[in-house]
Amino acid sequence: MRVNNKVALVTGSSRGIGRAIAMELARQGAHVAINCASRIVEAEEVKQEIEAMGRRAVIVQGNVADPGFVDGMAKEITASLGKVDILVNNAGITRDNLILRMKEEDWDAVMQVNLKGAFLCAKKFSRQMLKARWGRIINISSVVGIIGNPGQANYCAAKAGLLGMTKSLARELGSRNITVNAVAPGFIATEMTAQLSQEKEREMLKQVPANRLGTPEDVASIVSFLASEGAGYINGQVLAVDGGMSM
Ligand code: NAI
């Protein structure tokens, strides 16, 4: 197993990509802290499935963009699972619109959750990793943070920001056996992309050489590799999991 007995926190892991990452890390031997903003019933299901694999799991519901919540979450996880070895910053939202129609609050909301939330969690949990002299931080960015997308100026800016943060932290923490990498998924079938019209989906698929949508599991297997001992010399990288879309 790739991450046996490590403790992982996956933000936004009640559904979609985060859920698949939480499940795969558990399959590979990790105990998992499950975080979500709402719909705790789904998080309960993830917890049960992880426990059925013989791992420990805890749910911490709340907003990763709230520093008070992140403090409390760290205390709760430390009390129940011990220190966090693997942090996956996955929680994310969209508030799409063309620039002329994008409201300031839509810009702020996406920055808060997608970028500030990752900063707050990295700040909080890197302290434990520094002490342990071992850690993995994996930030879930997006291919549109690399290539851009009309109607998503806020989302693309936040996802591009994550890439800058990833590389800076990789340089800051690298000497302590902590790696910081980003995964940039392409077009993955989840609730987030289910909002798109069939026409938009067909249009996007034209840009994907693999000619199919990705699955949450396509992303999860790469994240579990980056979390493993075997990926210890990969640092500050951005791995696109996009069927060839962004090349
Ligand atoms: P989703 O909408 O299915 O799930 C989002 C998860 O994040 C849920 O568990 C939700 O409770 C949680 N969440 C939302 N706001 C939160 C907050 N403030 N605090 C804590 N948790 C919060 O999304 P999906 O598609 O699974 O996306 C996961 C990540 O992957 C996101 O960061 C997204 O931007 C990124 N991504 C998704 C792609 C796709 O095609 N679905 C493509 C590229 C990146």
Coordinates of all heavy atoms in Angstrom, one line a residue, residues 11-18 35-38 62-65 69 89-94 113-114 140-143 155 159 184-193, ligand 1:
T11 N -9.9 18.1 1.7 CA -11.0 19.1 1.8 C -12.0 18.9 0.7 O -11.6 18.5 -0.4 CB -10.5 20.6 1.8 OG1 -9.9 20.9 0.5 CG2 -9.4 20.8 2.8
G12 N -13.3 19.2 1.0 CA -14.3 19.0 0.0 C -14.4 17.5 -0.5 O -14.4 17.2 -1.7
S13 N -14.5 16.6 0.5 CA -14.4 15.2 0.1 C -15.7 14.4 0.3 O -15.8 13.2 0.4 CB -13.3 14.5 0.8 OG -13.3 14.7 2.2
S14 N -16.9 15.2 0.3 CA -18.1 14.5 0.5 C -18.6 13.9 -0.9 O -19.5 13.0 -0.9 CB -19.2 15.4 1.0 OG -19.3 16.5 0.2
R15 N -18.1 14.5 -2.0 CA -18.6 14.0 -3.3 C -17.5 14.3 -4.4 O -16.5 14.9 -4.1 CB -19.9 14.7 -3.7 CG -19.8 16.2 -3.8 CD -21.1 16.8 -4.3 NE -20.8 18.2 -4.7 CZ -21.2 19.3 -3.9 NH1 -21.9 19.1 -2.8 NH2 -21.0 20.5 -4.4
G16 N -17.8 13.9 -5.6 CA -17.0 14.2 -6.7 C -15.5 13.8 -6.6 O -15.2 12.7 -6.1
I17 N -14.6 14.6 -7.0 CA -13.2 14.3 -7.1 C -12.7 14.1 -5.6 O -11.9 13.1 -5.4 CB -12.4 15.4 -7.8 CG1 -12.8 15.5 -9.3 CG2 -10.9 15.3 -7.7 CD1 -12.3 16.7 -10.0
G18 N -13.0 14.9 -4.7 CA -12.6 14.8 -3.3 C -12.9 13.5 -2.7 O -12.1 12.8 -2.0
N35 N -13.7 16.5 4.9 CA -14.3 17.8 5.1 C -15.3 18.1 4.0 O -15.1 17.7 2.8 CB -13.1 18.9 5.1 CG -13.6 20.3 4.7 OD1 -13.5 20.8 3.6 ND2 -14.2 20.9 5.7
C36 N -16.3 18.9 4.4 CA -17.3 19.3 3.3 C -18.0 20.6 3.9 O -17.9 20.8 5.1 CB -18.3 18.2 3.0 SG -19.3 17.8 4.4
A37 N -18.6 21.3 3.0 CA -19.3 22.5 3.4 C -20.7 22.3 3.8 O -21.2 22.9 4.7 CB -19.3 23.5 2.2
S38 N -21.4 21.3 3.2 CA -22.8 21.1 3.5 C -23.1 19.6 3.1 O -22.2 18.8 2.8 CB -23.7 22.0 2.6 OG -23.3 21.8 1.3
G62 N -17.4 22.3 7.5 CA -17.2 23.7 7.7 C -16.5 24.3 6.5 O -16.1 23.6 5.6
N63 N -16.4 25.6 6.5 CA -15.9 26.4 5.4 C -14.3 26.6 5.5 O -13.9 27.3 6.4 CB -16.6 27.8 5.4 CG -16.1 28.7 4.4 OD1 -15.3 28.3 3.5 ND2 -16.6 29.9 4.4
V64 N -13.6 26.1 4.5 CA -12.1 26.2 4.6 C -11.6 27.6 4.4 O -10.4 27.8 4.7 CB -11.5 25.3 3.5 CG1 -11.6 23.8 3.8 CG2 -12.0 25.6 2.1
A65 N -12.5 28.5 4.0 CA -12.1 29.9 3.9 C -12.2 30.7 5.2 O -11.8 31.8 5.3 CB -12.9 30.6 2.8
F69 N -12.6 28.2 11.6 CA -13.0 26.8 11.3 C -11.7 26.0 11.1 O -11.6 24.9 11.6 CB -13.9 26.7 10.1 CG -14.0 25.3 9.6 CD1 -14.7 24.4 10.4 CD2 -13.4 24.9 8.5 CE1 -14.8 23.0 10.0 CE2 -13.4 23.6 8.1 CZ -14.1 22.6 8.8
N89 N -5.8 19.9 -0.9 CA -6.6 21.0 -1.0 C -7.5 20.9 -2.2 O -7.1 21.2 -3.4 CB -5.8 22.3 -1.1 CG -5.2 22.7 0.2 OD1 -5.9 22.8 1.2 ND2 -3.9 23.1 0.3
N90 N -8.7 20.3 -2.0 CA -9.6 20.0 -3.1 C -10.8 20.9 -3.2 O -11.4 21.0 -4.2 CB -9.9 18.5 -3.0 CG -11.1 18.1 -4.0 OD1 -10.9 18.0 -5.2 ND2 -12.3 18.1 -3.4
A91 N -11.3 21.4 -2.0 CA -12.5 22.1 -2.0 C -12.5 23.2 -3.0 O -11.5 24.0 -3.1 CB -12.8 22.7 -0.6
G92 N -13.6 23.3 -3.8 CA -13.6 24.4 -4.8 C -15.1 24.7 -5.2 O -15.9 23.8 -5.1
I93 N -15.3 25.9 -5.7 CA -16.6 26.3 -6.2 C -16.4 27.1 -7.5 O -15.3 27.5 -7.8 CB -17.4 27.2 -5.2 CG1 -16.5 28.5 -4.9 CG2 -17.7 26.4 -3.9 CD1 -17.3 29.5 -4.1
T94 N -17.5 27.2 -8.2 CA -17.5 28.1 -9.4 C -18.6 29.1 -9.3 O -19.7 28.8 -8.6 CB -17.8 27.3 -10.7 OG1 -19.0 26.5 -10.5 CG2 -16.7 26.4 -11.1
V113 N -12.7 30.6 -1.3 CA -12.7 29.2 -1.1 C -11.6 28.5 -1.9 O -10.8 27.7 -1.3 CB -14.1 28.6 -1.7 CG1 -14.1 27.1 -1.5 CG2 -15.3 29.2 -0.9
N114 N -11.4 28.9 -3.1 CA -10.4 28.1 -4.0 C -9.0 28.5 -3.7 O -8.1 27.6 -3.9 CB -10.7 28.4 -5.5 CG -12.1 27.9 -5.9 OD1 -12.9 27.6 -5.0 ND2 -12.3 27.8 -7.2
I140 N -5.4 20.8 -5.7 CA -6.2 20.5 -6.9 C -6.5 21.8 -7.7 O -7.4 22.6 -7.2 CB -7.5 19.8 -6.6 CG1 -7.2 18.5 -5.7 CG2 -8.2 19.4 -7.9 CD1 -6.3 17.5 -6.3
S141 N -5.8 22.1 -8.7 CA -5.9 23.3 -9.5 C -6.9 22.9 -10.7 O -7.9 22.2 -10.5 CB -4.6 23.7 -10.0 OG -4.7 24.8 -10.9
S142 N -6.6 23.3 -11.9 CA -7.4 23.0 -13.0 C -6.6 23.3 -14.3 O -5.8 24.3 -14.3 CB -8.7 23.8 -13.0 OG -9.4 23.7 -14.3
V143 N -6.9 22.7 -15.4 CA -6.3 23.0 -16.7 C -6.6 24.5 -17.1 O -5.8 25.2 -17.7 CB -6.6 22.1 -17.9 CG1 -5.9 20.8 -17.7 CG2 -8.1 22.0 -18.0
Y155 N -12.5 32.0 -11.5 CA -12.1 30.6 -11.2 C -10.6 30.3 -11.8 O -9.8 29.8 -11.1 CB -13.1 29.7 -11.9 CG -12.9 28.2 -11.7 CD1 -13.3 27.5 -10.5 CD2 -12.3 27.4 -12.7 CE1 -13.1 26.2 -10.3 CE2 -12.1 26.0 -12.5 CZ -12.5 25.4 -11.3 OH -12.3 24.1 -11.2
K159 N -7.3 29.4 -9.7 CA -6.6 28.1 -10.0 C -5.2 28.4 -10.4 O -4.2 27.6 -10.1 CB -7.3 27.3 -11.0 CG -8.7 26.8 -10.6 CD -8.5 25.8 -9.4 CE -9.8 25.2 -9.0 NZ -9.7 24.3 -7.8
A184 N -3.8 19.2 -12.1 CA -4.7 20.1 -12.9 C -5.6 19.2 -13.7 O -5.3 18.8 -14.9 CB -3.9 21.0 -13.8
P185 N -6.8 18.9 -13.2 CA -7.7 18.1 -13.9 C -8.3 18.9 -15.1 O -8.4 20.1 -15.1 CB -8.9 17.8 -12.9 CG -8.3 18.1 -11.6 CD -7.3 19.2 -11.8
G186 N -8.7 18.1 -16.1 CA -9.4 18.7 -17.3 C -10.9 18.6 -17.0 O -11.4 19.1 -16.0
F187 N -11.6 18.0 -17.9 CA -13.1 18.0 -17.9 C -13.5 16.7 -17.2 O -13.5 15.6 -17.8 CB -13.5 18.1 -19.3 CG -15.0 18.4 -19.5 CD1 -15.8 18.8 -18.5 CD2 -15.5 18.3 -20.8 CE1 -17.1 19.1 -18.7 CE2 -16.9 18.5 -21.0 CZ -17.6 19.0 -20.0
I188 N -13.9 16.8 -15.9 CA -14.2 15.6 -15.1 C -15.7 15.5 -14.8 O -16.3 16.5 -14.5 CB -13.4 15.6 -13.8 CG1 -11.9 15.9 -14.0 CG2 -13.5 14.3 -13.0 CD1 -11.1 14.9 -14.8
A189 N -16.2 14.3 -15.0 CA -17.7 14.2 -14.8 C -18.0 14.2 -13.3 O -17.8 13.2 -12.5 CB -18.2 12.9 -15.4
T190 N -18.5 15.4 -12.8 CA -18.9 15.5 -11.4 C -20.1 16.5 -11.4 O -20.5 17.0 -12.4 CB -17.9 16.1 -10.5 OG1 -17.7 17.5 -10.9 CG2 -16.5 15.4 -10.5
E191 N -20.6 16.7 -10.2 CA -21.8 17.7 -10.1 C -21.4 19.0 -10.6 O -22.2 19.7 -11.2 CB -22.1 17.8 -8.6 CG -23.6 18.1 -8.3 CD -23.9 17.9 -6.9 OE1 -24.0 16.7 -6.4 OE2 -24.1 18.9 -6.2
M192 N -20.1 19.4 -10.4 CA -19.7 20.7 -10.9 C -19.9 20.9 -12.4 O -20.3 21.9 -12.9 CB -18.2 20.9 -10.5 CG -17.7 22.3 -10.7 SD -16.0 22.5 -10.2 CE -16.1 23.1 -8.6
T193 N -19.5 19.8 -13.2 CA -19.6 19.9 -14.6 C -21.0 19.5 -15.2 O -21.3 19.8 -16.3 CB -18.5 19.0 -15.3 OG1 -18.5 17.8 -14.6 CG2 -17.2 19.7 -15.2
Ligands
NAI1 P1 -18.0 19.2 -6.5 O1 -18.9 20.5 -6.6 O2 -18.7 17.9 -7.0 O3 -17.6 19.0 -5.0 C1 -17.0 20.1 -4.2 C2 -16.7 19.7 -2.8 O4 -16.1 20.8 -2.2 C3 -17.9 19.3 -2.0 O5 -17.5 18.3 -1.1 C4 -18.2 20.5 -1.2 O6 -18.9 20.3 0.0 C5 -16.8 21.1 -1.0 N1 -16.8 22.5 -0.7 C6 -17.3 23.5 -1.5 N2 -17.0 24.7 -0.9 C7 -16.4 24.4 0.3 C8 -15.9 25.2 1.4 N3 -16.0 26.5 1.4 N4 -15.3 24.6 2.4 C9 -15.2 23.2 2.4 N5 -15.6 22.4 1.5 C10 -16.2 23.0 0.4 O7 -16.7 19.5 -7.3 P2 -15.7 18.6 -8.1 O8 -16.0 18.6 -9.5 O9 -15.5 17.3 -7.4 O10 -14.3 19.5 -7.9 C11 -13.3 19.2 -6.9 C12 -12.1 20.1 -7.1 O11 -11.6 19.8 -8.4 C13 -12.5 21.6 -7.1 O12 -11.4 22.3 -6.6 C14 -12.6 21.9 -8.6 O13 -12.3 23.3 -8.9 C15 -11.5 21.0 -9.2 N6 -11.7 20.7 -10.6 C16 -12.8 20.1 -11.1 C17 -12.9 19.8 -12.4 C18 -14.1 19.1 -13.0 O14 -14.2 19.0 -14.2 N7 -15.1 18.6 -12.2 C19 -11.9 20.2 -13.4 C20 -10.8 20.8 -12.8 C21 -10.7 21.1 -11.4

